[in-house]
Amino acid sequence: MRRRSLLSKTGALLAGGMAMSVAGSGRESLDPSYRILPDTKYETGVFVREGTSDGPTAMVVGGIHGDEQCGYRAASEIAGWQVGRGKLVVLPKANRVAIRRDRREGAHGDLNRQFPTGEKPETRLARAIWGVVERHNPDVVLDLHRSVGIYGYHESSVGQMIWPTDAGNASEYAKRTAEELNGNVVPWYMPFHEYRRGGELDGSRPMLVHKVAGDLDRPGYIVETTEFFLDADTRVQWEKAVATDLLSRHGIEQRGNR
Amino acid sequence: MSGAVNVRRLFLGRSVWVWYLLLVGPVALGAFDTRLMTPLALPGYVALTIGSAFGSYLFPTLELWVFWGPLLVGAYFVSVALAAASHAVRETFVAFK
Ligand SMILES: [Zn+2]
């Protein structure tokens, strides 16, 4: 409710202050820097935000699974950042087909099983996404997901986890980010919802972040926020808080923050 | 006072529903909007999480919201017990007056 009124206020401001781009549908007032797979049903925007000084490059991906709203909503908010230094590349809605259907899978199955290490990605969409990775050569990659339950409690659930790659400081950073969230964002009286660090990811599975580990040997993270007991807006906020904290550990901060 | 009235009060008396609201109200509010989550919800929150953990192990195909059912039913029986216990405590105090 609060969010909606804030959105409509921002919308009114934009409409009053300047000619708003009418490309998107209201919510999408930002123009991407470029699009991958233009004029196809997969067409989706990439947002490149460059800071005023040199620094690391980070990439944030959301919407690999189309029914995981908090991932692509958090990524969409981050896509609107201005950064102080370095470069931030955001692909908020990786799988447009799946998002449109509000299903995990798009036209060619589970997109996050199409990134084998040491080989070309298996589908056109996966190749285009990996193309973005290769084009910007990021120092760190974040992939934002939503899970169903709580890891270790609910069957085959990976909720409230941050999975680092086995590269650089990723594991240490994941641990510190989890501690930061648990100290400042997750209420003490929701102990099952504390974030935890997952085991280190390597190239052994055909997922995007696993390929970042296997092919590039760089820090990367899969962030999983649960839908169990959390309302939709809170999931977005917590997911964004995890991403913000991880990005700042890698030297990327929203300008004006801190 | 007849036995029938006592039985009705034991299972449907006002204090049963007061306890029920205390147990279920805060956790339902917290699930509806996380900003309304408070420490008062802790008993229901723990019961729901642990209960649904067992539930998802026994019935892995069910969605987790299903386990609100057993929570709502279970909370009723806990409320009956709490109402009876609090009644007994009150009686004890009256006896000492
Ligand atoms: Zn996912």
Side-chain angles (χ1 to χ4, degrees), chain A residues 1-2 148-150 153-155 157 187-194 226-231 233-234 237-238, chain B residues 27-28 30-35 37-39 41-42 45-46 48-50 52-54 56-57 60 63-64 68:
Chain A
M1 271 171 262
R2 199 179 50 176
V148 174
I150 307 250
Y153 287 89
H154 298 123
E155 267 304 279
S157 241
W188 65 264
Y189 42 86
M190 297 182 74
F192 297 106
H193 281 76
E194 290 198 340
T226 188
E227 68 176 7
F228 176 70
F229 209 83
L230 292 180
D231 66 55
D233 285 354
T234 300
Q237 275 171 25
W238 290 15
Chain B
V27 73
F32 171 71
D33 185 334
T34 314
R35 282 173 299 172
M37 182 69 184
T38 60
L42 208 44
Y45 167 83
V46 171
L48 178 68
T49 308
I50 303 284
S52 58
F54 280 109
S56 78
Y57 174 73
E63 294 201 35
L64 292 178
W68 275 91

Side-chain angles (χ1 to χ4, degrees), chain A residues 64-65 67-68 104 110 112 144-147 222 224:
Chain A
I64 287 235
H65 293 137
D67 58 348
E68 301 183 357
R104 178 183 177 87
D110 188 337
N112 211 19
L144 307 183
H145 288 256
R146 177 228 61 199
S147 80
I222 301 177
E224 296 272 4

Side-chain angles (χ1 to χ4, degrees), chain A residues 106-126:
Chain A
H108 297 283
D110 188 337
L111 176 58
N112 211 19
R113 298 294 182 275
Q114 300 168 2
F115 295 93
T117 286
E119 295 165 44
K120 262 171 66 169
E122 286 166 3
T123 59
R124 207 170 150 210
L125 177 58

Side-chain angles (χ1 to χ4, degrees), chain A residues 59-131:
Chain A
M59 181 166 166
V60 177
V61 181
I64 287 235
H65 293 137
D67 58 348
E68 301 183 357
Q69 254 203 38
C70 71
Y72 63 79
R73 276 180 57 190
S76 298
E77 290 188 25
I78 292 168
W81 282 13
Q82 297 297 321
V83 297
R85 71 184 193 101
K87 189 198 276 184
L88 175 63
V89 180
V90 187
L91 172 66
K93 295 179 174 173
N95 195 340
R96 290 306 289 239
V97 175
I99 289 172
R100 235 173 270 132
R101 292 178 182 169
D102 196 25
R103 301 285 292 274
R104 178 183 177 87
E105 304 194 343
H108 297 283
D110 188 337
L111 176 58
N112 211 19
R113 298 294 182 275
Q114 300 168 2
F115 295 93
T117 286
E119 295 165 44
K120 262 171 66 169
E122 286 166 3
T123 59
R124 207 170 150 210
L125 177 58
R127 283 192 290 276
I129 291 168
W130 193 251

Side-chain angles (χ1 to χ4, degrees), chain B residues 44-88:
Chain B
Y45 167 83
V46 171
L48 178 68
T49 308
I50 303 284
S52 58
F54 280 109
S56 78
Y57 174 73
L58 293 173
F59 309 101
T61 54
L62 293 183
E63 294 201 35
L64 292 178
W65 60 261
V66 167
F67 301 108
W68 275 91
L71 177 80
L72 297 180
V73 175
Y76 167 75
F77 290 102
V78 174
S79 304
V80 169
L82 285 169
S86 56
H87 182 71

Side-chain angles (χ1 to χ4, degrees), chain A:
Chain A
M1 271 171 262
R2 199 179 50 176
R3 199 192 124 77
R4 183 149 302 161
S5 65
L6 189 71
L7 270 176
S8 57
K9 254 181 233 158
T10 325
L13 270 176
L14 280 171
M18 60 182 111
M20 205 169 47
S21 82
V22 256
S25 58
R27 266 178 101 133
E28 232 148 291
S29 48
L30 291 165
D31 273 330
S33 308
Y34 63 93
R35 296 166 203 274
I36 55 170
L37 301 173
D39 305 317
T40 70
K41 59 184 176 181
Y42 301 109
E43 173 172 339
T44 188
V46 180
F47 299 76
V48 181
R49 306 293 178 201
E50 283 190 73
T52 43
S53 52
D54 280 352
T57 298
M59 181 166 166
V60 177
V61 181
I64 287 235
H65 293 137
D67 58 348
E68 301 183 357
Q69 254 203 38
C70 71
Y72 63 79
R73 276 180 57 190
S76 298
E77 290 188 25
I78 292 168
W81 282 13
Q82 297 297 321
V83 297
R85 71 184 193 101
K87 189 198 276 184
L88 175 63
V89 180
V90 187
L91 172 66
K93 295 179 174 173
N95 195 340
R96 290 306 289 239
V97 175
I99 289 172
R100 235 173 270 132
R101 292 178 182 169
D102 196 25
R103 301 285 292 274
R104 178 183 177 87
E105 304 194 343
H108 297 283
D110 188 337
L111 176 58
N112 211 19
R113 298 294 182 275
Q114 300 168 2
F115 295 93
T117 286
E119 295 165 44
K120 262 171 66 169
E122 286 166 3
T123 59
R124 207 170 150 210
L125 177 58
R127 283 192 290 276
I129 291 168
W130 193 251
V132 177
V133 175
E134 289 183 320
R135 171 173 170 169
H136 298 284
N137 195 22
D139 300 291
V140 56
V141 176
L142 269 59
D143 188 10
L144 307 183
H145 288 256
R146 177 228 61 199
S147 80
V148 174
I150 307 250
Y151 184 79
Y153 287 89
H154 298 123
E155 267 304 279
S156 60
S157 241
V158 288
Q160 307 297 78
M161 297 291 275
I162 304 167
W163 308 81
T165 58
D166 59 355
N169 292 327
S171 192
E172 179 62 25
Y173 288 176
K175 182 173 150 231
R176 285 197 227 152
T177 294
E179 286 167 0
E180 165 71 20
L181 266 283
N182 298 339
N184 293 315
V185 176
V186 181
W188 65 264
Y189 42 86
M190 297 182 74
F192 297 106
H193 281 76
E194 290 198 340
Y195 281 92
R196 285 180 287 163
R197 172 181 59 183
E200 295 184 358
L201 311 176
D202 56 23
S204 62
R205 300 193 65 192
M207 302 192 204
L208 175 65
V209 173
H210 291 69
K211 189 170 175 68
V212 168
D215 279 2
L216 306 179
D217 193 27
R218 304 251 170 90
Y221 306 89
I222 301 177
V223 179
E224 296 272 4
T225 296
T226 188
E227 68 176 7
F228 176 70
F229 209 83
L230 292 180
D231 66 55
D233 285 354
T234 300
R235 288 200 291 276
V236 177
Q237 275 171 25
W238 290 15
E239 185 103 327
K240 200 174 76 172
V242 173
T244 303
D245 196 81
L246 283 172
L247 286 172
S248 82
R249 288 180 200 282
H250 284 276
I252 299 284
E253 300 208 26
Q254 188 176 14
R255 197 155 65 195
N257 228 19
R258 292 190 198 178

